[in-house]
Amino acid sequence: MLLCPACRPLLAAALGLAARRRLPRHHGKRRAALSPAPVAARLRSAAGSGEAGGVLRHLLLKLRSTGPVTVAEYMREALTNPGQGYYTRRGGVGEDFVTSPEISQMFGELIGIWYVSEWMATGKPNAFQLVELGPGTGTLTGDILRVFNQLAALLNKCDVSIHLVEVSPKLSAIQAQMLTEGKVQSTPENKAAYMKGISKAGIPIYWYRDIQDVPQGYSFYLAHEFLDALPIHKFQRTEKGWCEVLVDIDPEVPDQLRFVLSPSRTPATENFIQPEETRDHVEVCPEAGVLIQRLACRIEKDGGAALIADYGHDGTKTDTFRGFRNHKLHDVLKAPGTADLTADVDFSYLRKMAEGRTATLGPIKQREFLKNMGIDLRLQVLLQNSRDSATHAQLLHSFDMLMNPKKMGDCFHFFALLPHHRLVHPTKKDNPQSKSPLPPVAGFGELSLK
Ligand code: SAH
């Protein structure tokens, strides 16, 4: 596919960006050893064995007093329990796992160009908020900000602010260091944001625990490898009908957990299984659904766009719940709180949850999106600007990681929410001969309106 015409001039202007920095320490780990594909999502290093106590102890008490819990409740405790959850407690995320923005600066730069291209296509509003959900180390926002800085002449009359939704105190401290060199202040309890700071280029940055705390207004939303970390419910079709998979204590082995099936239907089976469902095992992430509804409402009301990138499927896969620790698959029921738990994102469910409030584009494979955004050209410029062979090799290796269909190229997808008027000209509906075509949406190639 050809580079989208909308981003050609932007890419040309942004190409002057220098190389970001050396790649992270764990960059060289072989993803091939981590197949099947979803395993390639994150590369984990030592995940702190022997620290299981907290979450497991808490869960055992709960299970003994109230009986089995849903997989969603289990996942929430394991990942975001305020004191002991995997994300809450872990520091040094850059060392524990590597995601696309950590692999190459090209990833975040092209996403930065996508937002500027959308901002231009909607008439350059005089302000926008960039809202990132689950920013990890802050690397992705950092690369986007470098693009905004490089395009300062274009954005100079636009009031840009950054809003980060992050539950982990450890990670928000890392983000603050990365984006503001630690120049942040905590805000009073009654404020929506729990922390604020100023980027190196003078852009205000705010931190929140929940998307609902982020102010309304024309906004660009970004969720990269965020939705896969939200809790899922799991369901199994049985002879008695749909049952929910629950987590309970194994009566045979002390302090060990096991999966059980609910004896009958549960509130979740009633609410989340579609009558036309044909699969025998289904995973549903209601928190992702609620999030998409919120984003769609905001975009419908205030304008902007959402870009969601993650590994996932279009309503076809069944059992994708898995854990990662120390670069390897990890039993999801072992030592909760010490391993990453994740499930593929169901993009068909997200599309349904937008409920027609916005248009949706994608999911499109990561390698196609990045190619449409001009990654080949960006790579050439970085190669030309680098003199030593080690940097060349690193650049080619990171390009391969992002683009190779067997690595991250095919299993990661991009999905967007956009206001309807961004894709269908209001006058075109009444006058199909109208001569003023809307600029195409960068990255998605041929538009597939759904
Ligand atoms: N987007 C980053 C990091 C992905 S890891 C990257 O691509 O590198 C998931 C991120 O989401 C972490 O920052 C984690 O702390 C955060 N997170 C997980 N669950 C969350 C929740 N319920 N609310 C807000 N942040 C959450």
Side-chain angles (χ1 to χ4, degrees), residues 60 63 248-259:
L60 289 169
L63 294 168
D248 198 4
I249 300 173
D250 188 335
E252 310 280 316
V253 192
D255 292 355
Q256 190 162 305
L257 304 175
R258 62 166 185 171
F259 286 120

Side-chain angles (χ1 to χ4, degrees), residues 42 80 87 97 99 101-102 132 134-136 165-168 171 175 209 224-226 229-230:
R42 290 180 194 169
T80 56
Y87 283 119
F97 63 86
T99 54
E102 306 288 344
E132 190 182 356
V165 179
E166 176 59 75
V167 278
S168 165
L171 287 175
Q175 293 149 18
R209 290 193 182 82
H224 179 254
E225 285 215 43
F226 174 70
L230 298 182

Side-chain angles (χ1 to χ4, degrees), residues 7-26:
C7 38
R8 237 178 260 142
L10 285 175
L11 186 61
L15 283 177
L17 283 170
R20 179 174 70 194
R21 54 169 191 281
R22 292 181 63 77
L23 289 164
R25 203 144 53 86
H26 289 291

Side-chain angles (χ1 to χ4, degrees), residues 305-324:
L307 198 54
I308 288 151
D310 224 309
Y311 38 87
H313 59 92
D314 223 356
T316 49
K317 286 200 185 170
T318 54
D319 184 10
T320 72
F321 183 38
R322 59 206 182 279
F324 293 110

Side-chain angles (χ1 to χ4, degrees), residues 112-161:
I113 291 174
W114 192 86
Y115 287 120
V116 178
S117 141
E118 274 312 295
W119 172 75
M120 290 171 71
T122 47
K124 302 184 186 170
N126 56 13
F128 71 77
Q129 309 187 130
L130 175 70
V131 184
E132 190 182 356
L133 298 143
T137 61
T139 301
L140 181 50
T141 293
D143 288 336
I144 293 172
L145 281 176
R146 287 168 69 249
V147 169
F148 290 175
N149 204 27
Q150 182 76 10
L151 300 174
L154 188 65
L155 288 165
N156 69 353
K157 293 212 176 67
C158 183
D159 188 4
V160 179
S161 55

Side-chain angles (χ1 to χ4, degrees), residues 60-115:
L60 289 169
L61 278 174
K62 191 169 190 167
L63 294 168
R64 278 189 196 112
S65 56
T66 61
V69 295
T70 62
V71 172
E73 197 170 344
Y74 173 75
M75 206 172 159
R76 192 173 299 114
E77 289 291 350
L79 293 182
T80 56
N81 173 295
Q84 303 287 336
Y86 175 78
Y87 283 119
T88 328
R89 192 179 45 91
R90 304 280 315 150
V93 169
E95 308 231 320
D96 282 339
F97 63 86
V98 177
T99 54
S100 293
E102 306 288 344
I103 287 169
S104 169
Q105 68 185 82
M106 294 185 278
F107 187 83
E109 288 170 357
L110 295 174
I111 289 179
I113 291 174
W114 192 86
Y115 287 120

